Amino acid sequence: MKILSIETSCDETAIASVEASGGLRNPKFQILKNLVASQVKVHQPFGGVVPNLAKREHIRNLPILFKEVQGSSFIVHGCDLVAVTVGPGLEPCLWTGINFAKELRMYPNTANKPKIIGTSHLDGHLYSFLLPQKTVNPKLQTLNPKQKTLEFRVSNLVFPAISLLVSGGHTILILMKDLTHLKKLGETRDDAVGESFDKVARLLGLPYPGGPEIEKVAKQGNPEAINFPRPMLNQKNYDFSFSGLKTSVLYYLRDPKQRIHPNLQNNYSDHSDKFVGWDRIANVAASFQKAAFDALIKKSLRAVKEFEAKTIIITGGVAANKTLGRMFKQALKEDKFKINLIIPEPKFCTDNAAMIAVAGYINFLQNKNKRLIARGDLSI
Ligand code: KG4
Ligand code: ZN
């Protein structure tokens, strides 16, 4: 079945075309087109996403991307299902995607009007690990000789799995007994981990979005330089908290002894070490990143142990951070856990529409469909 998917929940306008086949035990996906129009440059001067500007950009970008994916304006030919994100996210932005999907069906030329399936953005992240990728354990994937891509094999080698969803809006730990039996174990009680990266980056004078910038700068710093707190680390639950960590960074930077050279904050684009205090910024970035990741890793591994999981799956924008993957691998080695670690390719970690097609298909197979209304606070 050919799926056209639309994602407009935040600041990326994305449309994909994905061929999906197989049942819930062996779903297969082949990406035909996967386009993302990034709005980073539009929002960067404001240090974060401006909802009205995001909506304006989505309205402008959607027809352009659609034409590129479908080869024609407003005609959904050769497509069996349209999957569109209905939440969570910024409601004005979600509406642009939903209305666009609905309008596609109104055009008289549209032959065989496809069904529209309302899809959760969180399901998109959660199932993004099913997209073709190169890095998974060979036992879990088969080579598709036609496409020369690796297909994920859902099997009892994978489940039960612990899934860690880490994005700009969410930090959730989920037990997956299989593809459809999910149990939320815990989540953040305040800021999402990606949000704390963005806020700390701003404190350091680094541009938006902060996550990739902190990752880059942290490579030049010492993660042991500052012992930032790891809130809730020792509590016997699976919840997280990141706002205290961000506040500790703020207090650290306010300390006159630690103050960063003011010129430096305006010269963030020049990541050279000739500036006074650059090493200090790098140490703050590296130490903050380590504190945040220590919390994610410790709780995830505790869940692995309790539920005897065979796999850890990490998804969402923060999963694009290579240091997170390395730290997880190291921790698994130290604790002598012989389990699979699955992290989608970076382009499938950050917001994209291919993952919405995957989630749409998994929901379609279960006869699940969300109403076509924007729900900013939709949860898992
Ligand atoms: O999944 P996503 O693209 O959008 C949401 O659903 O929120 O995630 C965006 C978040 C932002 O907070 C961004 O700073 C963070 O993911 N992020 C990263 C990295 N790349 C993106 N955080 C840490 N390291 C990265 N390399
Ligand atoms: Zn997202």
Side-chain angles (χ1 to χ4, degrees):
M1 134 180 312
K2 197 161 155 193
I3 306 177
L4 180 89
S5 51
I6 301 169
E7 156 62 39
T8 59
S9 66
C10 192
D11 60 342
E12 312 283 19
T13 319
I15 299 192
S17 172
V18 172
E19 182 69 46
S21 59
L24 282 170
R25 294 184 70 81
N26 63 337
K28 290 192 182 72
F29 301 94
Q30 184 197 335
I31 297 176
L32 306 174
K33 283 266 169 68
N34 184 30
L35 302 183
V36 180
S38 171
Q39 300 181 8
V40 163
K41 290 228 150 55
V42 176
H43 301 287
Q44 216 159 43
F46 304 94
V49 180
V50 183
N52 276 340
L53 286 183
K55 177 183 162 184
R56 187 193 73 188
E57 291 298 304
H58 288 313
I59 292 171
R60 212 169 56 123
N61 292 334
L62 278 170
I64 300 171
L65 294 191
F66 181 83
K67 193 163 180 206
E68 226 172 304
V69 168
Q70 285 279 297
S72 61
S73 311
F74 297 110
I75 300 176
V76 265
H77 51 80
C79 151
D80 310 290
L81 191 71
V82 174
V84 61
T85 306
V86 295
L90 301 167
E91 288 197 359
C93 297
L94 290 163
W95 275 121
T96 61
I98 296 169
N99 289 335
F100 188 81
K102 283 181 174 167
E103 277 165 25
L104 287 177
R105 285 174 50 97
M106 287 182 344
Y107 281 79
N109 292 351
T110 308
N112 300 329
K113 287 187 180 183
K115 182 182 159 76
I116 307 180
I117 190 160
T119 306
S120 159
H121 182 83
L122 297 177
D123 285 352
H125 280 306
L126 190 72
Y127 292 120
S128 58
F129 75 98
L130 295 170
L131 285 163
Q133 51 186 313
K134 295 185 198 102
T135 49
V136 182
N137 176 342
K139 275 191 262 156
L140 305 179
Q141 55 190 8
T142 42
L143 184 70
N144 177 335
K146 244 194 348 213
Q147 305 308 325
K148 295 207 169 55
T149 58
L150 293 167
E151 281 169 357
F152 199 79
R153 215 190 299 163
V154 178
S155 70
N156 55 5
L157 292 175
V158 178
F159 297 112
I162 293 297
S163 172
L164 176 68
L165 196 169
V166 276
S167 68
H170 296 86
T171 305
I172 313 177
L173 201 61
I174 299 153
L175 170 65
M176 294 182 90
K177 289 191 186 146
D178 54 36
L179 271 190
T180 56
H181 291 89
L182 314 176
K183 185 178 170 204
K184 181 159 52 173
L185 300 175
E187 63 188 323
T188 182
R189 298 214 180 148
D190 39 59
D191 291 353
V193 62
E195 187 180 357
S196 74
F197 269 75
D198 295 334
K199 287 178 175 171
V200 167
R202 204 181 313 179
L203 293 176
L204 293 174
L206 300 169
Y208 172 86
E213 293 295 324
I214 295 228
E215 177 179 17
K216 222 183 317 168
V217 175
K219 287 200 179 106
Q220 299 166 42
N222 173 8
E224 311 293 341
I226 309 150
N227 189 19
F228 288 125
R230 281 114 168 108
M232 301 185 67
L233 196 65
N234 294 314
Q235 288 186 18
K236 295 232 170 302
N237 56 35
Y238 292 115
D239 286 341
F240 304 94
S241 163
F242 293 101
S243 80
L245 172 58
K246 171 207 65 198
T247 310
S248 303
V249 175
L250 176 69
Y251 287 158
Y252 179 86
L253 295 172
R254 269 195 194 152
D255 181 340
K257 290 198 296 284
Q258 312 296 348
R259 193 159 288 166
I260 285 163
H261 193 286
N263 289 340
L264 194 60
Q265 296 210 355
N266 300 323
N267 281 301
Y268 52 72
S269 53
D270 188 344
H271 289 174
S272 69
D273 54 12
K274 63 180 183 278
F275 288 109
V276 184
W278 177 252
D279 52 343
R280 200 171 294 152
I281 287 199
N283 282 347
V284 173
S287 302
F288 156 76
Q289 179 173 264
K290 176 151 196 315
F293 289 170
D294 276 349
L296 295 175
I297 292 169
K298 182 152 183 193
K299 295 235 162 155
S300 304
L301 293 199
R302 197 194 293 156
V304 163
K305 213 168 175 177
E306 181 178 343
F307 298 99
E308 297 179 0
K310 294 178 186 157
T311 308
I312 294 187
I313 301 164
I314 316 174
T315 60
V318 181
N321 186 306
K322 295 280 178 220
T323 309
L324 178 63
R326 264 199 304 276
M327 282 177 67
F328 253 103
K329 258 190 214 145
Q330 182 64 27
L332 287 172
K333 208 162 132 192
E334 277 167 18
D335 285 3
K336 301 198 171 35
F337 280 125
K338 286 215 165 97
I339 64 167
N340 312 302
L341 174 66
I342 303 177
I343 307 176
E345 285 182 29
K347 65 175 184 251
F348 299 137
C349 290
T350 49
D351 286 351
N352 65 89
M355 68 180 195
I356 301 303
V358 173
Y361 186 63
I362 299 293
N363 286 331
F364 169 81
L365 291 176
Q366 298 176 81
N367 258 327
K368 278 192 190 163
N369 193 356
K370 298 212 183 317
R371 287 177 62 202
L372 293 177
I373 50 169
R375 287 172 59 195
D377 60 353
L378 188 69
S379 66
I380 210 136

